[in-house]
Amino acid sequence: MINLGEYNTLEIIRESEQGIYLADNEGNEILLPNRYVPESFIIWEKIEVFVYLDNEERLVAVTDKPYIKKGDFALLRCNAVTEHGAFLDWGMLKELFCPFGEQAFKMKKGGWYFVYCFLDEKTNRLVASSKTNQFLDNKELTVKEFEEVDLIVSHPSDLGMNVIINKKHLGLIFKDDIFQDLSVGDRLKGYIKKIRPDNKIDVVLGQIGYRNIEPNADAIMIELRDNSGYLKLTDKSNPEDIKQILQMSKKSFKKAVGTLYKQRLIEIKEDGIYLI
């Protein structure tokens, strides 16, 4: 089966004036136009292509890599707005359409918007939606506390930063747990800190509790080596100073320092910590 809006690995079966034809295991064929045909190829070899609809609404294969595919999220730029909706730059010749009904806020040309790409069953076209929460579900969770997860930063809130977990659930990183710059669309690893009774999910970027001591200790050791074996930080230091230098909370810093001290890797003095 050839899947619209996804990467497909297909077999080259023949050449034509328009390009080369590819086929799946079921014998379904699709054209790879001349502009995308590799300089050298062999009939019956396989090639990975992205499949979408061209300007004439025909299925076509391309070797371009879009910024987003079906079932995914991304931050895209609006190239134009017409009476029908907005058209977004997703790295393809034909722009990605976002109907007015799928816009959380009215899009403007030149603006950047965080969207989800899906297949509209009525038109059988790929479309974008900035109403991303409707594609997330926290009723039946597939994650558990302390589990490592994939995150996509979606939008800020008064409490911190909302994130999408494993492309399925909505989570929140509280302000007090953010120790690095985060931008909408960023993809990174995180950990489930807490699952609340209403299935709201608290997320952190570092491992939780004792699980976080070792990586934080490593970070302090690296910083010490990079600064000639000395850090002007103590358990009395301002939390903001610790956050700026080490990108960790004061609580995490004290735990990590304690671990290093017990291992006799550092010496603690009134003016800071020293590498032994």
Side-chain angles (χ1 to χ4, degrees):
M1 183 176 180
I2 297 177
N3 296 304
L4 175 63
E6 299 178 17
Y7 291 102
N8 295 252
T9 300
L10 305 174
E11 198 171 68
I12 300 173
I13 57 172
R14 69 177 186 276
E15 294 183 67
S16 74
E17 291 184 0
Q18 294 78 32
I20 58 177
Y21 278 90
L22 315 175
D24 62 10
N25 294 333
E26 300 172 359
N28 299 304
E29 297 184 7
I30 190 171
L31 176 69
L32 180 69
N34 281 318
R35 65 178 295 151
Y36 303 107
V37 174
E39 292 184 5
S40 61
F41 61 88
I42 302 171
I43 299 297
W44 308 124
E45 76 174 335
K46 292 187 175 181
I47 183 173
E48 184 182 70
V49 293
F50 183 77
V51 175
Y52 78 124
L53 298 176
D54 65 13
N55 288 323
E56 297 181 18
E57 304 299 325
R58 299 173 301 187
L59 275 178
V60 63
V62 298
T63 53
D64 288 342
K65 303 290 185 182
Y67 306 143
I68 191 173
K69 60 186 180 66
K70 185 179 72 175
D72 206 351
F73 302 83
L75 185 68
L76 302 180
R77 183 181 185 275
C78 177
N79 278 353
V81 178
T82 70
E83 59 183 320
H84 304 292
F87 291 86
L88 310 178
D89 177 12
W90 63 320
M92 310 295 283
L93 279 178
K94 182 183 178 183
E95 295 165 331
L96 184 62
F97 179 59
C98 183
F100 287 122
E102 292 295 339
Q103 297 178 23
F105 302 96
K106 189 174 181 181
M107 293 182 175
K108 298 180 180 180
K109 181 179 179 180
W112 289 82
Y113 302 94
F114 186 71
V115 299
Y116 178 82
C117 179
F118 69 100
L119 186 64
D120 184 354
E121 295 181 355
K122 293 181 180 179
T123 62
N124 200 39
R125 298 175 181 173
L126 293 172
V127 296
S129 173
S130 61
K131 298 179 179 180
T132 54
N133 283 359
Q134 66 178 312
F135 302 100
L136 304 173
D137 183 12
N138 280 39
K139 292 180 181 177
E140 296 184 9
L141 299 181
T142 60
V143 296
K144 57 183 182 294
E145 290 185 353
F146 309 129
E147 180 180 347
E148 183 182 65
V149 291
D150 293 318
L151 303 175
I152 306 174
V153 178
S154 59
H155 56 281
S157 77
D158 293 337
L159 297 176
M161 188 69 77
N162 287 289
V163 292
I164 294 168
I165 304 166
N166 292 345
K167 299 181 184 179
K168 296 180 180 179
H169 310 307
L170 181 65
L172 176 70
I173 306 176
F174 282 94
K175 289 180 180 178
D176 291 344
D177 290 324
I178 298 176
F179 306 107
Q180 65 188 75
D181 292 333
L182 296 177
S183 300
V184 174
D186 284 352
R187 295 171 185 261
L188 60 166
K189 295 288 186 181
Y191 297 86
I192 306 299
K193 181 180 181 180
K194 184 178 183 179
I195 297 177
R196 300 181 180 273
D198 56 1
N199 274 12
K200 289 184 178 179
I201 307 173
D202 299 347
V203 181
V204 292
L205 300 181
Q207 293 187 12
I208 298 109
Y210 68 88
R211 298 169 179 82
N212 197 28
I213 293 176
E214 186 175 344
N216 282 339
D218 287 342
I220 292 173
M221 290 294 288
I222 291 171
E223 197 69 24
L224 280 166
R225 294 190 185 102
D226 290 345
N227 289 275
S228 303
Y230 170 70
L231 276 180
K232 192 178 180 180
L233 293 173
T234 69
D235 59 0
K236 297 180 181 179
S237 295
N238 189 303
E240 286 301 315
D241 293 336
I242 296 172
K243 177 180 177 180
Q244 183 177 358
I245 296 171
L246 296 171
Q247 288 76 55
M248 67 180 70
S249 67
K250 185 170 182 177
K251 183 178 179 180
S252 296
F253 167 74
K254 291 172 69 173
K255 286 183 178 180
V257 167
T259 297
L260 295 173
Y261 181 76
K262 289 176 183 178
Q263 295 175 356
R264 298 184 178 181
L265 295 173
I266 63 169
E267 185 177 2
I268 302 173
K269 296 184 179 180
E270 290 187 3
D271 63 335
I273 56 179
Y274 293 79
L275 186 64
I276 295 178

